[in-house]
Amino acid sequence: MSPRTSRFHHRAVPVVLAAVVIDVIGFGIVMPVLPALVTQLGHLELEAATRVAGWLLAVFAVAQFFAGPVLGHLGDRFGRRPVLIAAMLGFSLDYLLMAWAPTLGWLFVGRAIAGITGATFGPAGAVIADVTPPQKRASVFGLLGAAFGVGFIVGPALGGLVASFGTRAPFVVAAALAALNAVAMAWLLPETLDASHRRPFRLRDAHVVGAFRPLFHAGNATPLLLAWFLWQLGGVVYPSTWAFWASIRFGWNATAIGWSLAWVGFLTVIVQLAVTRRVVERLGERRTAIVGLACGGACLLAYAFTTHGWQVYAFFLVGALGALVYPAMNGILSRMVDASRQGALQGGIGSMNSVAAVLGPLIASQSLAWGAARGFDGAAFVVAAMLLLGGMTIIVRLVPHRPVAAELPEGGS
């Protein structure tokens, strides 16, 4: 690592990690109140509200699908810093809009704006790729996952507590946190993309196919991308149905839901900080991804048949190892493109996630509502477990032990 890269690493990575923490707190803080808010605004029963929540998340994901690669390519053209700051300011204004929303229609508008301004994980991942040597990226991406976990500890727990002031209070707090996030990045975040690595913004490339074009030239990338997609498709079951499922099965209120999600975040942090680097060094990225998918799928399957609330906490002791998947697969993919396309890569990954996030909530929420109407509210978790285990099978059978990096054509496109 050059002295310049080392200096930027020490300055940029902590700021980006802190920004991700605050970003996820803003998202997680509203999750415990969603069941009450949707039933209140839509005058719906809980099972019907589950279906509406699925569409809310789908609208968010559709917007993020289009915004993800655009933000990634804008970051490759103008730098990561201005893109991250502008997105956070928009996110803050959007939370204020949702705090005011008088009808479900306005809540849908707010979620669409949130999808556009909230596609920040791509630029954040690109910052890490800018300042981290390729051989160390998996472990540093693990820190990004840990930051997500920290936000998931604080956000839902705080949301459960703030909910005592009303279902709109968490949105106001989230807006303030997003604004503080933007101010902190403007003050502390250095620009990590060297001018020599910037490239023109071309709208025709700012979509998921354009962002992944270099990877599609490598024949071994497609199975990994498919496994990533199935993993994301199954993992969406948590944000799309958890609060509703816990309310239906256990009768939990917003505070109990918040604490259960905080437990998920706490164990995720432990895995990312204390386990990821050791497992990747011992098993390699490919085997680490396999272990993570197997543990995550097994936990989801167990949730489908759990009968007591305490079992949720026990099963996630295994399910937390699913946090190994993100740094392992992202580490492999980040080594398949050059420095000038890390933003495009991360934007493309964000769009892949968004495609899954469009379909995932619809699959999960409809499965939950369909199963609950027939006496089995665990159907969504069965479906999600099969998706994760399908992704694991693809890696086992189709992803080589040492994937070959993509060979970029002349001009890097």
Side-chain angles (χ1 to χ4, degrees), residues 229-286:
F229 179 73
L230 292 178
W231 165 59
Q232 286 291 313
L233 195 64
V236 173
V237 72
Y238 284 108
S240 58
T241 66
W242 182 267
F244 294 89
W245 172 75
S247 298
I248 294 170
R249 179 164 291 196
F250 304 121
W252 284 356
N253 60 18
T255 301
I257 293 168
W259 283 118
S260 69
L261 290 170
W263 174 248
V264 169
F266 172 73
L267 290 184
T268 299
V269 171
I270 296 299
V271 169
Q272 297 287 15
L273 293 181
V275 178
T276 296
R277 182 176 61 83
R278 292 178 173 85
V279 174
V280 170
E281 289 176 354
R282 178 177 290 271
L283 299 181
E285 291 165 336
R286 176 181 174 276

Side-chain angles (χ1 to χ4, degrees), residues 42-84:
H43 308 289
L44 301 169
E45 297 295 328
L46 193 56
E47 291 179 9
T50 300
R51 298 180 187 272
V52 173
W55 285 106
L56 277 171
L57 287 171
V59 166
F60 174 91
V62 168
Q64 197 164 79
F65 170 72
F66 291 104
V70 172
L71 291 185
H73 280 259
L74 287 173
D76 285 343
R77 172 64 182 89
F78 299 105
R80 322 301 186 197
R81 185 173 178 272
V83 171
L84 285 166

